[in-house]
Amino acid sequence: MGTWIELTNFMCPACPDKKGSDWVCAVDAGSVFINEEGIMECQSQTHTGPVINWKWNCGSDYHNGEFLQTDFEGFSFAMSQAVQLTNRAGSEWVAILLHNVGKQYGK
Ligand SMILES: [Zn+2]
Ligand SMILES: [Zn+2]
């Protein structure tokens, strides 16, 4: 279902520190993937959900240990900066992803 792209060198979309990170699942430390439908999933496929429900923690002081949800603007900005990721995925994949994530946020 969809094309899964690993979330590497992807800045934190949920805080102003915008720290880049290779994201791993908080529960089992597996790599995290996203597809163009706006679904997140960890390597083991155990933990999955739409972007709107996913919680992020880049480890910066801003989080104070908390996992935070992103808004559409934060996610779009992080995606716009993720050049390596978008090169791997292709511009069509990115356009479909932003459309589907926008729908999750009612945009
Ligand atoms: Zn997991
Ligand atoms: Zn952060």
Side-chain angles (χ1 to χ4, degrees), residues 25 28 42 44 47:
C25 176
D28 56 32
C42 73
S44 70
H47 308 105

Side-chain angles (χ1 to χ4, degrees), residues 31-61:
S31 300
V32 170
F33 296 79
I34 186 170
N35 72 9
E36 71 271 47
E37 290 163 29
I39 306 299
M40 311 275 302
E41 192 170 275
C42 73
Q43 181 96 53
S44 70
Q45 303 178 331
T46 308
H47 308 105
T48 183
V51 167
I52 193 170
N53 291 343
W54 202 260
K55 292 187 175 171
W56 309 76
N57 183 359
C58 62
S60 83
D61 290 344

